[in-house]
Amino acid sequence: DRSDNGDDTDGETEDDETITLIPQSPSIEVTKTATITDNGDGVPGVGDVINYTITVENIGSTILEELGLVDTLSDISGNSLILTSGPVFVGSDQGSTDGTLAVGETATYTATYVIDQQALDAGGVSNTVTATGSSPTGTEVSDVSDDGDDTDGNTSNDPTVVTTTAE
């Protein structure tokens, strides 16, 4: 005997499948942290390299495709700067390729910026990245990066800031 779904209003009075729809809930979280490679003088300034690590995590219940990053770099006065390199896809913890994230998967990207006189004169660099992706049904999700430091009183969508020192 095959089961019946109990809904005779659908025109099938016996032996029809019971279908349960599982709603998709896409969601994404991005974090951007920075470390400095010093040029030997011991202070963050011109010629030092800021190394950014960007992690994008699929915290939803469906695969994400068409993953993209938009990186916004400026001095702390708000004037635009340009990354020296990146963002570049490094890999993911479940083996997906660039642009796709499985449920629970985290992808890692890197970027760099060599501190110039403009950033030094302004007193630092501010950087955010916005990650976007789409579910298989076309629902778009996005998130603005957090700096990874929840002890600073700001737990979401806060820029990664590196201060510079006049040499």
Side-chain angles (χ1 to χ4, degrees):
D1 183 32
R2 265 186 73 189
S3 67
D4 181 63
N5 71 1
D7 180 9
D8 292 338
T9 64
D10 64 3
E12 295 185 37
T13 57
E14 57 184 66
D15 296 341
D16 54 331
E17 296 177 356
T18 301
I19 298 173
T20 303
L21 298 177
I22 301 172
Q24 292 184 356
S25 179
S27 189
I28 194 170
E29 185 172 332
V30 60
T31 302
K32 185 168 203 169
T33 58
T35 59
I36 298 176
T37 302
D38 186 69
N39 64 5
D41 63 4
V43 295
V46 173
D48 292 345
V49 178
I50 303 173
N51 304 289
Y52 293 104
T53 300
I54 304 159
T55 56
V56 183
E57 183 180 5
N58 181 349
I59 58 172
S61 64
T62 184
I63 191 170
L64 292 175
E65 301 166 327
E66 301 175 18
L67 183 66
L69 302 177
V70 174
D71 201 291
T72 305
L73 181 70
S74 65
D75 64 31
I76 59 174
S77 297
N79 301 303
S80 293
L81 297 171
I82 298 172
L83 287 170
T84 306
S85 69
V88 175
F89 178 71
V90 175
S92 64
D93 61 1
Q94 294 181 31
S96 290
T97 57
D98 187 17
T100 303
L101 275 178
V103 174
E105 184 171 31
T106 300
T108 302
Y109 297 80
T110 59
T112 61
Y113 174 70
V114 177
I115 298 172
D116 62 10
Q117 193 65 47
Q118 176 184 338
L120 179 71
D121 292 345
V125 176
S126 177
N127 194 212
T128 61
V129 66
T130 301
T132 59
S134 295
S135 74
T137 60
T139 302
E140 268 199 22
V141 293
S142 67
D143 185 45
V144 177
S145 61
D146 180 33
D147 67 1
D149 180 7
D150 289 342
T151 64
D152 64 0
N154 190 349
T155 59
S156 65
N157 300 347
D158 52 330
T160 303
V161 176
V162 174
T163 57
T164 56
T165 306
E167 299 169 358

